[in-house]
Amino acid sequence: NILSSKIINKIEKWKPEIIYHLAAQSAGESAYDNPKDDYLTNGYGTYLLAKLARKIKCKYFIYASSCAVYGSNPQKIISEKSSINPDSIYGISKFIGEMFVKQLLLKSKTKVRIIRIFNIFGPGQNILNLKKGIVSIYSYYVWLKKPIVVKGSLKRFRNLVFIDDCVKILFKCLNNKRLKKFETINLTSSKKTTVKELINSILKVNNLRNYPIKITKRTKGDSFGINSSNNFLKKKFYGFKFTPLNTGISIFFNWINKLTIKNIKNSHPLKLK
């Protein structure tokens, strides 16, 4: 709980040289269940950590932001310079976090990386959470052999990123001489994938055909589509290659198929054998 003074004081005593700020309410739909919690954790919580980083003169502060800050933009490919126009409470709170980081750390000696992460999936995800993670949600239904419930149009689209690629980029934020002192980067595969294409990939990996799909009303605040260039990322992380979607989904299901309802609570990928 990054709103807890006990936690903040404990981190201050550690005096870390590097802070990866990954703590957040990280689901768009859940933000509407408790807007206050979303705002306080993602906004004020980020303020407290950035303030602490400045106080202890932290060398690196890497903030995991979100593509949700852009909102829906189905007409064009966006970049880091595109306008900010969140269409969800979650997107607003993540951008508030960015503004606090900039206000508190831009003029400090701390090297800052604001990483706007696009739709992540992979082993370790809470597959029982049907309010977060478009890939894991549809995978959940296939795992339990239930009809896939799609909230909204099959034409909605996303950029999907396999978890290992995300971790590698976050790690490479350190000691990267191509990065300036303060950088904002879209962490995206830059591959436009519709909901229909995603479901087809999931079914293909599982050798399934003619699978039942149920279309329902879209989730409030859910972006119709966002597609981003990763030219800036590739310039800064020269030679980086993203995992193909089918490969990532295959790895994901190799892990999912080891799950049972009984062992789901201990389902970290390093624990399951």
Side-chain angles (χ1 to χ4, degrees), residues 207-220:
N207 296 314
L208 296 171
R209 293 182 180 180
N210 302 318
Y211 201 85
I213 298 174
K214 181 181 179 181
I215 310 295
T216 64
K217 185 179 179 181
R218 81 174 185 91
T219 301
K220 187 176 181 180

Side-chain angles (χ1 to χ4, degrees), residues 73-90:
N73 200 331
Q75 301 302 321
K76 64 178 183 178
I77 297 175
I78 65 168
S79 72
E80 288 79 1
K81 295 181 180 180
S82 295
S83 59
I84 300 299
N85 188 29
D87 48 18
S88 67
I89 292 174
Y90 170 66

Side-chain angles (χ1 to χ4, degrees), residues 12-80:
E12 183 179 351
K13 289 180 181 178
W14 292 340
K15 288 185 173 58
E17 293 184 347
I18 302 166
I19 292 178
Y20 276 96
H21 175 19
L22 302 164
Q25 189 299 109
S26 58
E29 186 175 348
S30 298
Y32 288 88
D33 297 334
N34 193 338
K36 181 180 178 181
D37 177 66
D38 182 86
Y39 172 78
L40 288 176
T41 300
N42 297 349
Y44 186 60
T46 300
Y47 165 80
L48 292 175
L49 281 181
K51 182 181 178 182
L52 173 63
R54 185 178 66 179
K55 182 178 181 180
I56 64 176
K57 298 179 180 180
C58 189
K59 289 184 178 181
Y60 285 95
F61 190 90
I62 296 95
Y63 173 52
S65 186
S66 169
C67 62
V69 303
Y70 295 113
S72 288
N73 200 331
Q75 301 302 321
K76 64 178 183 178
I77 297 175
I78 65 168
S79 72
E80 288 79 1

Side-chain angles (χ1 to χ4, degrees), residues 8 13 15 19 21 61 73 83 108 115 126 145 163 223 234 238-239 253-255 259:
I8 297 297
K13 289 180 181 178
K15 288 185 173 58
I19 292 178
H21 175 19
F61 190 90
N73 200 331
S83 59
S108 72
I115 310 298
N126 182 1
K145 297 179 174 59
I163 182 62
S223 298
K234 288 189 173 181
Y238 184 74
F253 267 92
N254 284 339
W255 173 77
L259 297 175

Side-chain angles (χ1 to χ4, degrees), residues 67-68 70-83 116 118-119 155-161 186-194 197 223-231:
C67 62
Y70 295 113
S72 288
N73 200 331
Q75 301 302 321
K76 64 178 183 178
I77 297 175
I78 65 168
S79 72
E80 288 79 1
K81 295 181 180 180
S82 295
S83 59
R116 291 173 180 161
F118 283 63
N119 296 263
K155 295 180 180 179
R156 289 176 298 130
F157 58 89
R158 299 288 187 270
N159 287 166
L160 304 170
V161 180
N186 288 341
L187 202 173
T188 170
S189 63
S190 194
K191 185 179 185 302
K192 181 179 177 181
T193 303
T194 65
E197 289 170 337
S223 298
F224 183 86
I226 182 169
N227 183 30
S228 173
S229 164
N230 61 12
N231 288 341

Side-chain angles (χ1 to χ4, degrees), residues 45-216:
T46 300
Y47 165 80
L48 292 175
L49 281 181
K51 182 181 178 182
L52 173 63
R54 185 178 66 179
K55 182 178 181 180
I56 64 176
K57 298 179 180 180
C58 189
K59 289 184 178 181
Y60 285 95
F61 190 90
I62 296 95
Y63 173 52
S65 186
S66 169
C67 62
V69 303
Y70 295 113
S72 288
N73 200 331
Q75 301 302 321
K76 64 178 183 178
I77 297 175
I78 65 168
S79 72
E80 288 79 1
K81 295 181 180 180
S82 295
S83 59
I84 300 299
N85 188 29
D87 48 18
S88 67
I89 292 174
Y90 170 66
I92 292 171
S93 70
K94 292 302 288 186
F95 188 62
I96 289 171
E98 286 192 20
M99 290 190 289
F100 279 135
V101 170
K102 184 175 182 180
Q103 183 188 69
L104 290 165
L105 296 176
L106 181 62
K107 295 182 180 179
S108 72
K109 292 184 178 180
T110 302
K111 294 180 179 179
V112 175
R113 286 82 175 91
I114 294 176
I115 310 298
R116 291 173 180 161
I117 301 175
F118 283 63
N119 296 263
I120 300 292
F121 73 96
Q125 206 160 5
N126 182 1
I127 199 170
L128 298 181
N129 186 349
L130 298 182
K131 294 184 178 182
K132 173 184 174 183
I134 191 168
V135 180
S136 67
I137 290 172
Y138 300 149
S139 298
Y140 162 86
Y141 294 113
V142 172
W143 174 53
L144 291 183
K145 297 179 174 59
K146 295 182 177 182
I148 297 174
V149 177
V150 177
K151 297 179 180 179
S153 171
L154 288 170
K155 295 180 180 179
R156 289 176 298 130
F157 58 89
R158 299 288 187 270
N159 287 166
L160 304 170
V161 180
F162 186 57
I163 182 62
D164 288 13
D165 297 337
C166 178
V167 172
K168 288 174 184 176
I169 290 294
L170 291 175
F171 179 73
K172 289 176 182 291
C173 282
L174 307 177
N175 302 319
N176 187 333
K177 295 181 180 179
R178 293 189 182 92
L179 295 177
K180 296 179 180 178
K181 185 182 144 317
F182 195 106
E183 294 276 25
T184 300
I185 301 170
N186 288 341
L187 202 173
T188 170
S189 63
S190 194
K191 185 179 185 302
K192 181 179 177 181
T193 303
T194 65
V195 170
K196 184 177 181 179
E197 289 170 337
L198 167 59
I199 292 174
N200 285 340
S201 293
I202 291 173
L203 297 180
K204 182 179 180 180
V205 164
N206 287 278
N207 296 314
L208 296 171
R209 293 182 180 180
N210 302 318
Y211 201 85
I213 298 174
K214 181 181 179 181
I215 310 295
T216 64

